[in-house]
Amino acid sequence: AILEKPVYEAHAALLLNLGREYKYIPEFSGAYSSSRREFKMEELLNTESELLNSIDLRQKVITSIGIKTLFPDLKNADPQDQAVMDAALLNFDKALAVKSVKNSGVIHVHYAHEDAALAKRVVDLLVNSFIDKHVRLYGESRAPFFEQKLAEYTAGLDEATRALRDFTLKYGIVTV
């Protein structure tokens, strides 16, 4: 036990509030739009846990901190090599635990490392990257078709307004 290096674990707890991003909004107002789907908390927690465990977030954390910093045993390897990234991802996965609490809106994130400050940095970066991704996914407009049509109609209205103004100036029409 004396020869073993201590391992520190950083922890974060995420509380998911059911906001408008989880509400079902039908894309059209046809016959089927009245059928609403109710999401269960377990489904939402599983979805958010999968986002937290997504490969792009894990790779972002690894590349932001650096493979050589996170995993000193890979320090002689080329960080651009895909096999090295795969090995880093395997090591990362062994140290990472993302668990949702049943019948609640809480997800726990744990990361274990020999350097306490580095473990904290990993958890902070992972959670912040997750929040950014969540906002990007759920914050995007759900009606690009309607936004495009609004822009087209606005441009048409502007053109019609200019044409009316030019017409009234050309023929000297005055409105009272």
Side-chain angles (χ1 to χ4, degrees):
I2 294 172
L3 299 176
E4 280 292 316
K5 291 182 180 178
V7 175
Y8 300 95
E9 186 174 277
H11 170 254
L14 302 172
L15 174 64
L16 297 176
N17 265 338
L18 293 177
R20 71 179 94 139
E21 68 267 22
Y22 298 115
K23 302 263 189 257
Y24 172 73
I25 301 170
E27 294 293 327
F28 65 97
S29 59
Y32 299 106
S33 66
S34 62
S35 63
R36 294 191 156 257
R37 183 182 187 309
E38 293 297 321
F39 293 102
K40 296 177 183 171
M41 182 58 82
E42 184 179 353
E43 292 173 336
L44 299 176
L45 286 172
N46 289 341
T47 300
E48 301 300 338
S49 294
E50 286 300 314
L51 283 177
L52 267 164
N53 274 317
S54 64
I55 194 165
D56 61 321
L57 289 185
R58 291 180 290 146
Q59 282 182 333
K60 181 178 181 179
V61 171
I62 292 170
T63 54
S64 294
I65 294 174
I67 291 176
K68 295 175 183 180
T69 304
L70 259 178
F71 308 110
D73 47 329
L74 296 176
K75 67 181 174 187
N76 294 327
D78 178 18
Q80 302 299 324
D81 186 8
Q82 185 59 43
V84 173
M85 178 55 81
D86 291 342
L89 282 167
L90 282 173
N91 289 340
F92 192 84
D93 290 345
K94 289 176 187 174
L96 179 69
V98 176
K99 298 176 183 172
S100 57
V101 178
K102 197 169 187 161
N103 299 323
S104 75
V106 178
I107 297 176
H108 290 281
V109 179
H110 300 271
Y111 187 79
H113 198 273
E114 295 171 355
D115 182 348
L118 200 55
K120 179 190 178 307
R121 190 170 157 206
V122 166
V123 170
D124 288 345
L125 189 56
L126 183 66
V127 168
N128 288 331
S129 299
F130 163 74
I131 291 170
D132 291 343
K133 184 174 185 174
H134 181 89
V135 168
R136 205 172 51 250
L137 286 173
Y138 292 110
E140 291 178 356
S141 172
R142 294 182 179 212
F145 169 78
F146 294 115
E147 289 174 358
Q148 178 187 359
K149 285 298 179 188
L150 176 63
E152 290 173 9
Y153 292 145
T154 301
L157 180 61
D158 290 344
E159 178 60 34
T161 303
R162 278 192 296 278
L164 178 62
R165 185 187 65 236
D166 293 345
F167 181 81
T168 57
L169 287 174
K170 180 177 180 182
Y171 294 103
I173 299 172
V174 178
T175 57
V176 182

